[in-house]
Amino acid sequence: MQINWVVLTYFVIGVFALSGFFRGWWKESITTGGLAFLFILLNNSPIAAELVNIVNSIITFVWSLAPNFFTNLFESMFDIIVTPGLAFQLDSSASETWIWALMLMVVFTTLVGRSLGPDAAKPIGRFLGALLGGFNGFLFLSLLREHLDGRFLPYGGTSINEIGGLASTGVAIQATNLPPHTAMDSLMPWIIIIISVLVFLAGLKTRVGMPKSKVRFWELDYRTPYGYNG
């Protein structure tokens, strides 16, 4: 099966832009911050590996407290083979680990934006949301490509399939029309990270304030971001 990467890019960016149009720019800025965090990890494999080690320690602790029926159910649901007596562990060098992290990050930031963000966006907020949503689609697809390739993952990385090659599962998947340059070339990742972090900080600044109360305590003050109804 062949996948035209250019067509896929247009489709993904279009879907994200449409979502951004309905959500508005502020909610999209939360997703931008989450994707920027994954870009930082992708560009700093030692930090990424250490973070996975911390998560594995938490999993080990929770696994030791969980009843057997829960761990058995988890293993059967996700088709995971675990050595008896040992907890399930994430592999920081595996593409699957980071693809799952990418998917969960998009879901998590979407839920956070929906729960903490303002309800209705004005036309200008929707327009900016569509632009930022398209940018998020580009970030998502760039991260997906790098995670599939595995070259920037910790310990050299192990990819699910080589971009432009065949899948190791035996299903023939070939990407065509791949652009010669990626988001990890030269200074591009740092440019992406800086822009994304600035967008995320702008979202926080326009939504949350910390004015001093009369008794000199800091309090959270929720504001209405630009482009939203109060």
Side-chain angles (χ1 to χ4, degrees):
M1 180 178 66
Q2 289 189 341
I3 297 178
N4 190 311
W5 198 262
V6 174
V7 174
L8 180 63
T9 299
Y10 288 147
F11 175 77
V12 171
I13 290 179
V15 170
F16 272 77
L18 182 63
S19 174
F21 176 80
F22 288 107
R23 282 158 34 96
W25 77 270
W26 189 89
K27 295 179 181 180
E28 285 295 325
S29 71
I30 303 300
T31 300
T32 304
L35 296 178
F37 177 69
L38 292 181
F39 255 102
I40 293 174
L41 295 181
L42 186 64
N43 204 46
N44 296 271
S45 57
I47 298 177
E50 185 59 32
L51 179 61
V52 172
N53 290 336
I54 294 174
V55 173
N56 281 335
S57 299
I58 297 173
I59 292 175
T60 300
F61 175 73
V62 174
W63 200 273
S64 65
L65 300 178
N68 290 334
F69 80 88
F70 175 81
T71 57
N72 293 336
L73 178 63
F74 180 85
E75 294 169 17
S76 61
M77 286 179 59
F78 293 94
D79 194 23
I80 296 172
I81 300 176
V82 180
T83 303
L86 298 178
F88 163 73
Q89 297 285 271
L90 299 173
D91 183 1
S92 61
S93 66
S95 291
E96 294 93 332
T97 299
W98 296 103
I99 291 175
W100 273 108
L102 175 60
M103 301 300 178
L104 291 175
M105 180 64 76
V106 172
V107 173
F108 174 73
T109 54
T110 299
L111 294 177
V112 170
R114 180 177 298 178
S115 60
L116 299 181
D119 293 330
K122 298 178 180 179
I124 184 61
R126 294 182 183 275
F127 173 73
L128 294 175
L131 293 179
L132 189 53
F135 178 66
N136 286 340
F138 165 75
L139 297 183
F140 176 86
L141 205 58
S142 297
L143 286 166
L144 180 61
R145 174 175 177 176
E146 296 300 337
H147 290 157
L148 285 171
D149 184 75
R151 57 182 177 150
F152 289 99
L153 298 184
Y155 312 115
T158 56
S159 62
I160 292 179
N161 63 280
E162 297 180 3
I163 294 295
L166 299 179
S168 58
T169 57
V171 180
I173 301 176
Q174 186 175 19
T176 61
N177 289 339
L178 282 168
H181 303 289
T182 73
M184 296 299 292
D185 290 342
S186 188
L187 296 176
M188 184 58 68
W190 289 111
I191 295 174
I192 290 175
I193 290 170
I194 291 172
I195 293 176
S196 301
V197 170
L198 289 177
V199 169
F200 176 70
L201 293 178
L204 289 183
K205 183 175 179 58
T206 58
R207 180 59 173 166
V208 180
M210 296 184 65
K212 271 190 177 180
S213 66
K214 295 180 180 179
V215 292
R216 297 184 179 277
F217 288 108
W218 294 101
E219 296 179 347
L220 288 179
D221 177 33
Y222 287 99
R223 306 166 179 171
T224 301
Y226 173 75
Y228 284 85
N229 295 317

